[in-house]
């Protein structure tokens, strides 16, 4: 009967283990799925620490990190957005891109009712709108269709109560 060398047995076991490890290994370029942590700390190595997000086409949609002179910097791009929620999970704000590609900021009360809108009007000028607790438009400050400044106040039902434009 032949006696087995302990080194040969050990080499066989290690080679088998190596084969199983290589079979189960994943490439680092694959999506790792969801990551759940209590906190993330991004350190600046001299080039600026940052977090970025990308859409399905690989286009960057947001950047949160270090800007010029070492200050905090947030940039939302390409239809990216920032949305906040209260402790009840109700949306309280939205900062992002409106249909047509312009920027907008909306705020909501604790019940999720829109209370303000700051953004771009259809004709491409800026506008500020305020809403009552029933989400009815009650104030508008912006431009009219001629490009003149205008301010309009509405009653609680959304009917025009007063308005003035800057045209002389």
């Amino acid at each position: 009967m032949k006696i087995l060398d302990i080194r040969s047995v050990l080499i066989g076991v290690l080679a088998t283990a190596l084969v199983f490890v290589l079979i189960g290994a994943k490439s680092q370029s694959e999506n790792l799925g969801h990551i759940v942590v209590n906190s993330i700390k991004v350190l600046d190595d001299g080039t600026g620490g940052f977090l970025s997000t990308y859409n399905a086409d690989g286009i960057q949609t947001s950047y949160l990190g270090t800007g010029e002179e070492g200050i905090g910097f947030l940039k939302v791009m390409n239809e990216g957005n920032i949305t906040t929620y209260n402790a009840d999970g109700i949306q309280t704000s939205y900062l992002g891109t409106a249909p047509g590609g312009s920027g907008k900021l909306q705020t909501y009360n604790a019940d999720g009712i829109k209370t303000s809108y700051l953004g771009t009007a259809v004709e491409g000028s800026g506008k500020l709108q305020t809403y009552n607790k029933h989400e009815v438009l009650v104030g508008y400050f912006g431009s009219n269709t001629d490009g003149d400044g205008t301010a309009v106040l509405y009653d609680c039902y959304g009917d025009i109560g007063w308005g003035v434009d800057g045209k002389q």
Side-chain angles (χ1 to χ4, degrees):
M1 180 169 153
K2 223 174 179 189
I3 298 177
L4 292 176
D5 181 24
I6 190 71
R7 285 179 279 173
S8 298
V9 172
L10 187 59
I11 289 171
V13 169
L14 290 176
T16 304
L18 179 61
V19 167
F20 284 114
V21 168
L22 292 175
I23 289 172
K26 281 189 173 182
S27 169
Q28 289 296 338
S29 64
E30 290 185 27
N31 185 333
L32 299 177
H34 294 281
I35 299 173
V36 179
V37 297
N38 289 329
S39 70
I40 296 175
K41 183 177 184 178
V42 179
L43 301 175
D44 182 356
D45 64 355
T47 61
F50 64 92
L51 297 172
S52 293
T53 60
Y54 298 83
N55 67 15
D57 297 326
I59 298 171
Q60 186 177 22
T61 56
S62 69
Y63 172 94
L64 171 63
T66 306
E68 293 180 18
E69 299 179 18
I71 60 173
F73 185 73
L74 171 66
K75 181 166 60 171
V76 179
M77 305 164 293
N78 301 318
E79 300 186 20
N81 69 73
I82 298 170
T83 305
T84 61
Y85 299 86
N86 65 17
D88 296 323
I90 297 172
Q91 182 177 356
T92 56
S93 69
Y94 174 93
L95 172 64
T97 305
S102 61
K104 72 177 181 178
L105 169 64
Q106 293 179 173
T107 61
Y108 303 84
N109 67 17
D111 296 321
I113 304 296
K114 182 169 48 176
T115 56
S116 69
Y117 176 97
L118 175 63
T120 304
V122 175
E123 66 275 356
S125 59
K127 70 178 180 179
L128 169 63
Q129 296 174 312
T130 59
Y131 299 83
N132 65 17
K133 64 183 179 180
H134 304 291
E135 204 167 337
V136 175
L137 178 66
V138 293
Y140 176 90
F141 182 80
S143 301
N144 61 21
T145 55
D146 295 329
D148 299 318
T150 188
V152 182
L153 296 178
Y154 302 84
D155 66 13
C156 64
Y157 303 107
D159 297 322
I160 294 177
W162 175 85
V164 65
D165 62 38
K167 188 173 187 174
Q168 294 191 15

